[in-house]
Amino acid sequence: MNDSAPERRRLAGLLADKGVLTLPWLRAAVESVPREQFLNPGVFLDEGRAWRPITPRGTTREEWLRLAYSAETLTTQLDGHLTADQCGGPVTGVPTSSSTDPTTVAGMIESLDLDAGHRVLEIGTGTGYSTALMCHYLGEDNVTTVEVDPEVAARADAALEAAGFSTWTVTGDGLLGHPRRAPFDRVIATCAVRRIPYAWIRQTKPGGSILATIGSWPYGTGLAKVTVNEDGTAEGRIIGRSSFMQARSQAAAPVAGDLSARTAYADSERQAKVSPLVLDEWMPAFLAQLAAPGAQFVRATTSEGVQLLHLFAPERESFAEFLPGGEGRRVRQGGPVPLWDRVERSVVAWQDAGAPDIGTVRLRVTAASHLYWIDASPALRWEHRLA
C-alpha cells in the first residue's frame, strides 16, 4: 500500500494557507496522522437525491486518498446504522455520523489553546481522527473521548489502535461527560448541544475551558468558548459560526403529521413586522434559537405549490404560522408561548443595534441557567432557566 505522506503534507499546506493551521505541533500532527485509516469501512457522497457509497476496496487507491485528504466533511453513517460497505448502490438516508472537514477540525483544536500535559475530554468521537490529532501532541493517556453510538465507537477505537493511539475511548452519553477521568483542562464537543451541560463544567478545572456548538437547528448555530470559574460558573462568548450534527439525546423529532391540524386554533393574528424569511440568514436564525429555545423552523408546500412557513415548539404546545402573501406576511400564533413575538422582538432589536455579528454574543452558565447577551442593546438579553 502506498504511503499517504504526500497527501498529508498537501492537506497541511492547504490548511495553513487558509489560516487555520498555525501551531507547529498541530501541523506536525496533520502531517503524521493518516486520515484515510479513520474512514473505514467507507463514506457516502451526496449526489442531491441520494448518497453514493465509496469504499476503499471499491475504488482506486488514488481516488480514496483524494477523498480522504479533501477539505470536506465526509459522511460515514446514515440513519444511525447504515455504512457504505453495506450498500450496493446509491441510497437515501439522514447523516448520523461523519468525519468533519479538516478545516473545522484544525480551527477548533487551535481554539482550545492546548498546552503539553493538558487533559482533554472530547464529546463525540466520530471517526477518531480529531482524537488522534490531539493524542499526537498530548499523549494518549491525556485524551478521553466519548461516543454515544457503540458501532461508531468500536470503529473509532480500532482506527486509533491501528494508528498507534491506545487512548481512553468510552461508549456513553457524552452530555454526562466522564467523571471517572475528571477533572479536565479542556472539553471539546464535536456535536451541537442546546446548551452547555453543567456536568462538563463540574468536570473542568477552574481556569479550564469548554468549546461547543450551541443551537438545535442545522444552521444558525454558534461556537461557544467559556472559561470555568472557581465558583462553578462559566463565562465566555460565541467565537464564530459552527455547524454540527445534534447530540443524539437532544435531537428534536421532526414535526410531522397534518400541519393544518396543529395550527387550527390561533390565539392571535397580525401583520408581521419583519419577514420570516429573515430566518434563512445565519445571525437571525441564531437569535431565534435564543429567543424561542426548542422551536423548529418548518417549511411545507401545499398541493397547489404554495410554500408555508411555521415555527413549532411541541414541548411548549405553541406555534406561529405565516400566511402566504410574499414579504408582507401575516402571522397566526397559538399556545401559551407567543413564539413569533419573542423572535421578532429580538430580530428588530438586533437590527436597531446595527446588526452586530455573532461574535458579539456573550454567555454565562450557572447550575440553574444560561444567560446570553449582546452589549449593544439591553433588549438583546436572553435567560434560559433550567428548571
Side-chain angles (χ1 to χ4, degrees):
M1 182 176 292
N2 295 327
D3 184 43
S4 61
E7 286 79 11
R8 299 198 297 270
R9 289 193 294 268
R10 182 189 58 78
L11 177 61
L14 175 63
L15 298 180
D17 290 342
K18 289 185 174 184
V20 298
L21 189 60
T22 64
L23 299 173
W25 72 259
L26 185 54
R27 179 160 188 160
V30 172
E31 292 181 346
S32 299
V33 175
R35 190 188 185 205
E36 74 274 17
Q37 291 187 18
F38 292 87
L39 299 177
N40 289 317
V43 301
F44 292 97
L45 299 186
D46 186 0
E47 295 190 331
R49 296 186 177 182
W51 296 90
R52 178 163 61 94
I54 302 290
T55 65
R57 293 185 178 182
T59 189
T60 65
R61 174 68 174 171
E62 290 73 19
E63 173 67 8
W64 183 241
L65 291 181
R66 185 190 68 78
L67 280 173
Y69 292 97
S70 62
E72 298 178 2
T73 294
L74 298 172
T75 297
T76 53
Q77 185 194 67
L78 299 175
D79 298 334
H81 67 91
L82 191 63
T83 53
D85 60 319
Q86 299 170 339
C87 306
V91 295
T92 59
V94 177
T96 47
S97 190
S98 66
S99 178
T100 303
D101 75 272
T103 303
T104 299
V105 170
M108 287 184 67
I109 291 177
E110 290 218 346
S111 295
L112 275 180
D113 299 322
L114 292 174
D115 285 330
H118 273 169
R119 291 164 54 84
V120 174
L121 172 64
E122 180 186 44
I123 310 300
T125 312
T127 64
Y129 177 66
S130 59
T131 316
L133 295 177
M134 292 187 288
C135 285
H136 186 273
Y137 175 57
L138 298 174
E140 57 193 27
D141 198 47
N142 283 331
V143 179
T144 301
T145 183
V146 184
E147 171 59 49
V148 69
D149 187 310
E151 294 183 0
V152 172
R155 287 192 292 269
D157 185 59
L160 285 161
E161 290 285 350
F165 302 110
S166 298
T167 193
W168 295 85
T169 53
V170 180
T171 302
D173 186 352
L175 300 188
L176 302 177
H178 190 59
R180 289 180 58 189
R181 294 276 295 160
F184 302 97
D185 298 282
R186 300 288 187 269
V187 176
I188 179 173
T190 61
C191 58
V193 292
R194 295 187 186 184
R195 58 181 177 267
I196 295 175
Y198 194 69
W200 298 356
I201 294 173
R202 292 180 61 189
Q203 294 171 32
T204 303
K205 296 177 182 177
S209 58
I210 298 169
L211 193 68
T213 298
I214 299 292
S216 58
W217 295 9
Y219 67 100
T221 47
L223 184 62
K225 184 177 183 180
V226 298
T227 299
V228 175
N229 301 317
E230 291 280 356
D231 63 359
T233 64
E235 293 187 60
R237 65 183 182 89
I238 304 298
I239 64 173
R241 298 182 180 187
S242 179
S243 181
F244 275 97
M245 295 177 189
Q246 196 73 23
R248 292 195 187 181
S249 61
Q250 290 188 348
V255 174
D258 185 353
L259 298 187
S260 63
R262 288 176 173 268
T263 60
Y265 303 105
D267 298 311
S268 66
E269 180 180 327
R270 64 173 175 82
Q271 192 73 18
K273 296 177 183 178
V274 296
S275 168
L277 296 177
V278 73
L279 299 186
D280 287 334
E281 302 172 22
W282 199 280
M283 185 59 178
F286 185 66
L287 295 175
Q289 293 171 82
L290 295 182
Q296 301 179 50
F297 189 37
V298 178
R299 298 176 181 271
T301 304
T302 67
S303 57
E304 292 79 23
V306 178
Q307 186 184 65
L308 303 177
L309 301 175
H310 303 86
L311 278 176
F312 286 109
E315 294 177 1
R316 300 186 177 196
E317 302 173 3
S318 302
F319 73 87
E321 178 186 38
F322 303 94
L323 302 177
E327 290 291 318
R329 295 178 187 248
R330 294 185 65 77
V331 58
R332 299 173 66 245
Q333 298 183 88
V337 179
L339 298 176
W340 186 244
D341 287 0
R342 294 187 176 187
V343 172
E344 187 180 67
R345 189 161 49 244
S346 291
V347 171
V348 169
W350 170 74
Q351 292 172 335
D352 290 345
D357 67 25
I358 201 168
T360 61
V361 179
R362 303 188 63 81
L363 71 154
R364 185 172 190 270
V365 185
T366 70
S369 70
H370 278 51
L371 177 65
Y372 301 85
W373 74 93
I374 298 176
D375 288 331
S377 169
L380 296 173
R381 183 182 179 91
W382 310 267
E383 185 172 18
H384 299 172
R385 305 291 300 182
L386 301 186

